[in-house]
């Protein structure tokens, strides 16, 4: 009874969430530019309303009563997720949050300016402040723990440096593997990268591709946007954006398949969880494991190329074969830009950022020294060195938005995606048969349908029968890159 | 000081309004169909939140204090508009509103079904209930007044039957004029109505046309939708929808110009009024006067045809001349469907509906008798009789949504639009010169910029120097239809 009351009251939060994501999506894709400032203000006010409702006496009373009665996995999940959210609102002072958000807004602008001018000095004072604020924020939340551990936990419940250090120890073996693949002269370029094609046809190809993978256009839509993302407006309205360049179709298609991986997660959550606090997976590593699974494990596989080939021929009018496609989708080359990296080098970009973030919060490095540290680490891990700040330390938006602790989840997602592959019964057969329905069903039954009922470690154990184990990722890469 | 506090608190209402209009527009134009039910639920919850904030002790206390101090026209306008809105929330019981909204939802569906089957009997029991609920609603708001007077006031502040009867007395002269024009064999058909054209080109023509009229695409956008409407999401984001048929371009273009008239009103409201209770004109007759002004007074004028002709030739590749265009845009023929009616017959559709609504609320007619009354009145005023309910009493959505008292504002808008024309200095010259900027400026300075600061009668007197006077409309029609 009290639980139903709590969930009913929570629907206000859900409706405000629908409002915010609708306005935000519209602002990004459809809004005339002169209205963007107004929309930003409206979003801010809606966030304040959300906080007022969540921290109202009515809601907190219901929450405390419900907490004592929580019994089922669902109820415990609701309490756990709400507690994390309330923590954030109740422990961090209002004034601090106002200043913090203002700082982030300013620092994002300054980062953009600095990146355009490729000049870290412009961003430096703001980054220093962002770091100070992040430490304070971590302290408000839990002053008993190391600040960086508190921040890691914000993006992945239960994650900390100790665990990450142990997981990321694979970097030695990864480095070894990378060197071997490079020695074997794995292709690092493809003529397909530079072919022109008709953008309108690419859009049709994307629709056909998404339909085949199982995207339901009655429960979502696609739109063009420079920086691809997935937006969950409701559990029945999940949208994917794609970059419609007219070159390098592998880049566009893998990005669409990546976003499909996010989208299908949201679309396969048990409908009974809709409009509740556990209606979506908020832990980045888990969500990212799904986008990487579809993008890499499926979308870059040899088997997938036989599915893709006729589409490429028909829609883009490009003459190629499965082999050429496969290598084009899997070029390996150490490079400076994380978002352009291949499966073998990608995680080194993350190891570098993780090391730097640890050093920052352990106060082992000053902000002034970061560009040099960045460049040295690239030299160390990938054997190449940025020529300027734009292709070096200024490339990612994350730090300007105070997203410290976010990067590791990309690698955690990669590791998990490979482990999942080995756990799906007959995966290679299903993939050969292009039986995406069976793969979707496995993911739904074992992972997606649970929404955010379980914290990551519990969910992983439940779905895979064991803890996260990075060895599967090495095994996957070895099979793919050494035995083809 | 207390006023600033009130306006600050009101911003929550504004932000919820932005949320609701964003979700509603998205739902209508962009949303995947399976998400529509969820969006409807979210809209309902956001409305409840709005009511809770407006009727909270905090807000009501601020309102009462501010009311005592209201001094400037702006402040008095804010209090006046808020008082009307609070009245609605405070006087009508919650339970009643829930039932009323449920009834409207059901009755709208039944109306649609009845219209499809052209069978009034299907709609009859719901219409009976809708009338009962409307009477109760009027009684909650003001039991001292006649129910229909209360309803008229909801759409046009200060309007009542006594005033309308006096204004609508022009129907005799209008009928006389119509008969004369028909005698003179004014064209009632045009070959242009049936020409095919390229839809994509029509869209480009609409963009060019709107740009020339002064629509700022940095503060608005256009989208295709079967039933054209204007949506004000913020004062810097006003959207127009248009029907992209591939025949009868005058119908599409006049509808676009009509919506432009609504849009330019919202876009020209003083930016100081944005995000306050008086940031938009809520009185239907005043808003409609602007859409009709652009659609009819400008858009169907002889002078406008010389502006339109080259666009029609260039974009639609149609060979015609100014004269043919003019008659095509101004065909006169008594017809059964209100939304398809010309300037000379349109208002008779409204007189008929007004007479029926009066009879309903004076309890001079039963719902059962309405179709017959409807058909008899069409015979009386326009000399034609509907063959069935679909082209008769079931044609409009309004009654199924309990919008009694709404129809008269269409004719009030027509009357006002002609009066405005005579008040703009050198209007004919400005129109001949296609100086839309000067016309927009006049409308802005005299009408638009005031937002909803003044009630309709005060605004009209302020803008035009006199009260609403229907004689101008007759004078306009005589000049146009008897002297061409």
């Amino acid at each position: 009874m009290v639980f139903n009351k709590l969930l009913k009251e929570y629907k206000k939060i859900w409706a405000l969430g629908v409002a915010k994501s609708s306005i935000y999506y519209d602002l990004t894709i459809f809004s005339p530019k002169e209205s963007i400032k107004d929309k930003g203000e409206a979003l801010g006010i809606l966030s304040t309303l959300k906080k007022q409702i969540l921290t109202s006496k009515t809601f907190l009373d219901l929450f405390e009563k419900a907490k004592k009665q929580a019994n089922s996995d669902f109820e415990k999940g609701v309490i756990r997720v709400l507690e994390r959210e309330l923590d954030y609102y109740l422990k961090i002072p209002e004034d601090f949050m106002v200043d913090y958000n203002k700082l982030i807004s300013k620092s994002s602008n300054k980062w953009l300016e600095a990146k355009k001018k490729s000049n870290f000095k412009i961003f430096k004072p703001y980054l220093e402040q962002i770091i100070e604020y992040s430490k304070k924020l971590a302290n408000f939340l839990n002053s008993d723990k190391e600040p960086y551990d508190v921040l890691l936990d914000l993006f992945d419940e239960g994650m900390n440096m100790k665990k990450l250090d142990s997981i990321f120890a694979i970097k030695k073996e990864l480095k070894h593997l990378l060197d071997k693949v490079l020695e074997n002269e794995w292709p690092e370029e493809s003529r397909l990268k530079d072919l022109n094609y008709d953008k309108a046809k690419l859009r049709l190809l994307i629709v056909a591709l998404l339909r085949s993978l199982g995207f339901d256009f009655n429960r979502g839509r696609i739109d063009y946007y420079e920086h691809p993302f997935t937006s969950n407006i409701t559990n029945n309205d999940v949208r994917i954006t794609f970059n419609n360049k007219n070159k390098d179709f592998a880049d566009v298609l893998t990005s669409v398949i990546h976003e499909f991986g996010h989208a299908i997660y949201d679309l396969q959550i048990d409908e009974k969880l809709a409009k509740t606090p556990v209606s979506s997976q908020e832990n980045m590593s888990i969500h990212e494991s799904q986008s990487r699974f579809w993008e890499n494990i499926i979308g870059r596989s040899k088997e997938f190329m036989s599915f893709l080939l006729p589409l490429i021929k028909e829609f883009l009018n490009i003459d190629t074969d499965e082999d050429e496609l496969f290598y084009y989708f899997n070029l390996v080359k150490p490079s400076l830009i994380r978002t352009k990296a291949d499966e073998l080098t990608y995680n080194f970009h993350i190891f570098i950022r993780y090391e730097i973030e640890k050093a920052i919060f352990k106060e082992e490095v000053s902000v002034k020294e970061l560009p040099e540290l960045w460049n040295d680490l690239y030299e160390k891990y990938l054997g190449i060195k940025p020529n300027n700040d734009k292709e070096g330390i200024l490339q990612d938006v994350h730090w300007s938005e105070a997203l410290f602790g976010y990067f590791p989840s990309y690698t955690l997602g990669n590791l998990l995606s490979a482990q999942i592959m080995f756990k799906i019964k007959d995966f290679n057969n299903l993939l050969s048969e292009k039986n995406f329905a069976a793969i979707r069903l496995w993911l739904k039954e074992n992972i997606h349908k649970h929404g955010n009922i379980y914290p990551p470690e519990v969910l992983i154990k439940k779905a895979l029968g064991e803890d996260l184990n990075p060895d599967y990722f090495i095994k996957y890469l070895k099979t793919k890159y050494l035995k083809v």
Side-chain angles (χ1 to χ4, degrees), chain A residues 34 65 112 120 143 145 156 159 165 182 189 210-211 240 259 262 277 280 360 390 394 432 434-435 455 459 475 478:
Chain A
E34 295 288 329
K65 277 182 202 152
L112 206 62
F120 181 71
S143 57
K145 292 210 288 184
D156 265 301
M159 192 45 69
D165 286 342
L182 292 175
E189 279 307 332
L210 287 171
R211 276 192 197 282
I240 289 173
E259 301 306 332
H262 284 304
S280 66
I360 288 173
K390 189 177 174 177
L394 291 176
S432 297
K434 281 81 194 170
N435 191 345
L459 179 64
K475 189 173 160 193
K478 277 187 180 166

Side-chain angles (χ1 to χ4, degrees), chain A residues 40-242:
Chain A
E41 187 176 353
L43 286 172
I45 295 170
L46 296 174
S47 295
T48 307
L49 270 179
K50 179 186 165 183
K51 180 179 171 178
Q52 282 173 357
I53 294 169
L54 266 182
T55 58
S56 67
K57 197 178 170 317
T58 312
F59 194 86
L60 291 177
D61 283 354
L62 280 170
F63 172 77
E64 289 304 333
K65 277 182 202 152
K67 189 177 169 180
K68 280 175 201 142
Q69 295 177 20
N71 205 355
S72 65
D73 284 3
F74 165 69
E75 289 174 353
K76 286 179 195 158
V78 166
I79 295 298
R80 186 189 102 257
V81 170
L82 280 178
E83 195 144 45
R84 274 173 70 82
E85 189 148 18
L86 286 172
D87 240 30
Y88 202 85
Y89 286 127
L90 296 173
K91 291 186 176 169
I92 304 170
E94 179 82 32
D95 291 352
F96 176 85
M97 278 312 285
V98 171
D99 293 346
Y100 177 71
N101 287 325
K102 274 187 198 156
L103 173 62
I104 286 174
S105 163
K106 208 188 286 174
S107 110
S108 301
N109 289 332
K110 283 292 168 183
W111 165 76
L112 206 62
E113 187 194 333
K115 187 177 176 181
K116 272 182 194 157
K117 296 181 180 164
S118 193
N119 184 354
F120 181 71
K121 279 186 192 137
I122 296 171
F123 182 47
K124 180 179 160 280
Y126 298 91
L127 183 56
E128 282 167 343
Q129 283 186 66
I130 286 273
I131 292 168
E132 284 320 303
Y133 269 81
S134 296
K135 285 179 191 164
K136 279 185 197 160
L137 184 125
N139 253 304
F140 284 130
L141 288 170
N142 190 339
S143 57
D144 296 336
K145 292 210 288 184
E146 293 234 32
Y148 191 51
D149 276 344
V150 178
L151 299 176
L152 284 167
D153 178 86
L154 283 178
F155 301 101
D156 265 301
E157 225 176 315
M159 192 45 69
N160 59 39
M161 287 182 276
K162 198 178 157 204
K163 290 176 191 172
L164 273 182
D165 286 342
S166 149
I167 296 164
F168 285 3
I170 51 154
K171 69 171 168 253
K172 214 174 145 183
E173 207 167 349
L174 255 183
K175 178 72 176 134
H176 185 67
L177 179 58
L178 172 63
D179 290 343
K180 218 162 164 181
V181 173
L182 292 175
E183 263 169 42
N184 290 351
E185 298 188 354
W186 185 277
E188 60 177 37
E189 279 307 332
S190 169
R191 69 168 185 111
L192 298 176
K193 215 169 173 172
D194 288 315
L195 293 187
N196 282 303
Y197 53 77
D198 180 341
K199 278 180 177 191
K201 295 276 174 60
L202 180 72
R203 188 182 179 118
L204 297 178
L205 164 56
I206 288 171
V207 171
L209 172 63
L210 287 171
R211 276 192 197 282
S212 300
L213 294 178
F215 186 75
D216 180 353
F217 281 86
N218 288 325
R219 297 177 64 211
R221 56 177 284 136
I222 60 169
D223 287 290
Y224 160 71
Y225 185 64
E226 205 186 332
H227 307 289
F229 66 96
T230 299
S231 174
N232 177 346
I233 294 178
T234 76
N235 282 25
N236 288 308
D237 185 2
V238 180
R239 303 178 181 191
I240 289 173
T241 68
F242 66 97

Side-chain angles (χ1 to χ4, degrees), chain A residues 293 419-428 430 438-439 442-443 464:
Chain A
F293 177 82
Q419 190 167 357
I420 289 167
M421 166 189 156
F422 286 100
K423 296 294 170 179
I424 298 178
K425 211 183 148 213
D426 281 334
F427 177 75
N428 287 328
L430 295 177
I439 296 171
W442 192 96
L443 295 172
L464 308 181

Side-chain angles (χ1 to χ4, degrees), chain A residues 197 199 201-210 213 222 228 240-245 247-261 291 294-296 298-300 304-305 307-313 315-316 318 325 328-329:
Chain A
Y197 53 77
K199 278 180 177 191
K201 295 276 174 60
L202 180 72
R203 188 182 179 118
L204 297 178
L205 164 56
I206 288 171
V207 171
L209 172 63
L210 287 171
L213 294 178
I222 60 169
I240 289 173
T241 68
F242 66 97
N243 186 330
N244 72 342
K245 308 181 292 184
K247 271 189 185 176
D248 201 2
F249 63 86
D251 190 52
V252 177
L253 294 183
T254 51
S255 151
V256 165
I257 301 168
H258 177 101
E259 301 306 332
F260 168 79
S291 54
W294 287 92
E295 176 192 353
N296 293 331
I298 292 181
R300 296 187 202 269
F304 197 69
M305 299 305 137
F307 164 76
L308 218 45
L309 183 63
L311 294 173
I312 303 291
K313 283 186 173 173
F315 285 90
L316 305 188
I318 289 175
L325 266 189
Y328 169 41
F329 273 71

